[in-house]
Amino acid sequence: DADNNVESDNPRIELRQDSNLVSGSLYLEGESGITATNTISNALVLDSKGALNNQAIQFATGGRAGAQSGGESNSTVAMTILGTNRNVGIGTTSPATDLHIKNSSHTQLLIESGTTSEGIILFGDSDDLNVGSITYNHSANFMAFETADSERMRIDSSGNVGIGATNPALQSGGTGLHINASAHSEIKFTNSTTGAGAADGTALVATGSGFQINNREAGTILLRTSNTTAVSIDAAQNGAFTGNITTTG
């Protein structure tokens, strides 16, 4: 651009040899950065200004990016960065969130780590940059979930789930759920009839060396085998047994 004026007809940089477009690489290297409006040094800035390009930066393959109204239609936009809200789109020119990945078929997000390392997704805020996380450990092949900076749940390589247990261990040696706590461990069941408060529903509770089946509702507890009721205990604590009762000891 000989006059250094803002152009309105799709200005671009092209790599040519003997007037023909050629395959090649364009290297842009920043050494001192731009400090007039910020303090970041050694920075490379790709800046999109004005309404001509819809305040977006686009990266295209198979042609030239069509960010402006005169852009070539033979290009495929691979990534878009909107200047209005800084949303990044991969496979979409209208990203609706901070990062929006779109594919007409299956969409995948791959995090590849070393075979003895971890892949981590962090959740943070201004007070704590890693207050929550999802971690996959490739050495032991377990996945851990953290909230409030502490691990709360783990799925081990066998598919066992531990809540409060980093090494879920089952009595049967099979696959299942292991809940561990310093005092009470509980599984709670509620529905729209019982309500969802602490005093509602039915719970399986381990307290010290004891175990409880506690129905806080005025309902009946049933034990069934072969899809038939074997034992029932109603709200008045009356019990009924089907079949024979054998005592030992």
Side-chain angles (χ1 to χ4, degrees):
D1 184 7
D3 57 10
N4 292 322
N5 292 326
V6 175
E7 301 296 328
S8 60
D9 56 350
N10 295 325
R12 60 174 62 91
I13 298 174
E14 296 179 342
L15 300 179
R16 292 181 176 270
Q17 184 177 10
D18 298 330
S19 299
N20 297 317
L21 285 171
V22 297
S23 300
S25 300
L26 175 64
Y27 294 92
L28 302 176
E29 182 177 354
E31 295 182 352
S32 60
I34 299 177
T35 59
T37 57
N38 58 64
T39 58
I40 299 177
S41 60
N42 299 317
L44 171 63
V45 178
L46 297 177
D47 195 4
S48 175
K49 297 180 179 179
L52 291 174
N53 47 20
N54 299 320
Q55 295 183 335
I57 296 175
Q58 293 183 321
F59 300 85
T61 60
R64 301 169 182 143
Q68 300 181 11
S69 58
E72 282 75 3
S73 60
N74 64 335
S75 66
T76 299
V77 177
M79 184 170 73
T80 297
I81 304 175
L82 297 181
T84 53
N85 52 23
R86 294 175 292 184
N87 288 352
V88 177
I90 298 176
T92 175
T93 58
S94 303
T97 59
D98 294 336
L99 176 61
H100 182 171
I101 303 175
K102 181 180 179 180
N103 194 316
S104 59
S105 183
H106 305 295
T107 302
Q108 297 181 355
L109 178 63
L110 173 64
I111 299 176
E112 183 175 353
S113 307
T115 55
T116 60
S117 302
E118 293 181 333
I120 304 174
I121 300 175
L122 298 176
F123 302 89
D125 52 40
S126 58
D127 294 328
D128 191 337
L129 293 180
N130 59 349
V131 66
S133 69
I134 300 174
T135 300
Y136 191 89
N137 183 291
H138 290 272
S139 295
N141 285 310
F142 68 78
M143 180 172 286
F145 300 81
E146 288 193 3
T147 62
D149 283 321
S150 295
E151 181 177 327
R152 308 298 182 179
M153 184 173 75
R154 177 177 295 199
I155 305 173
D156 69 13
S157 59
S158 298
N160 293 324
V161 177
I163 298 177
T166 58
N167 185 26
L170 304 179
Q171 296 178 9
S172 65
T175 303
L177 172 65
H178 179 181
I179 301 177
N180 180 59
S182 58
H184 309 298
S185 298
E186 180 175 330
I187 299 178
K188 180 83 172 284
F189 302 91
T190 61
N191 54 42
S192 58
T193 300
T194 65
D200 297 324
T202 302
L204 306 179
V205 184
T207 304
S209 59
F211 182 75
Q212 303 175 14
I213 302 175
N214 186 11
N215 184 6
R216 289 181 172 271
E217 308 300 322
T220 300
I221 294 178
L222 303 177
L223 299 181
R224 301 172 65 88
T225 63
S226 299
N227 201 33
T228 301
T229 299
V231 179
S232 66
I233 304 174
D234 63 21
Q237 288 82 51
N238 297 312
F241 297 85
T242 301
N244 299 321
I245 299 176
T246 300
T247 61
T248 61

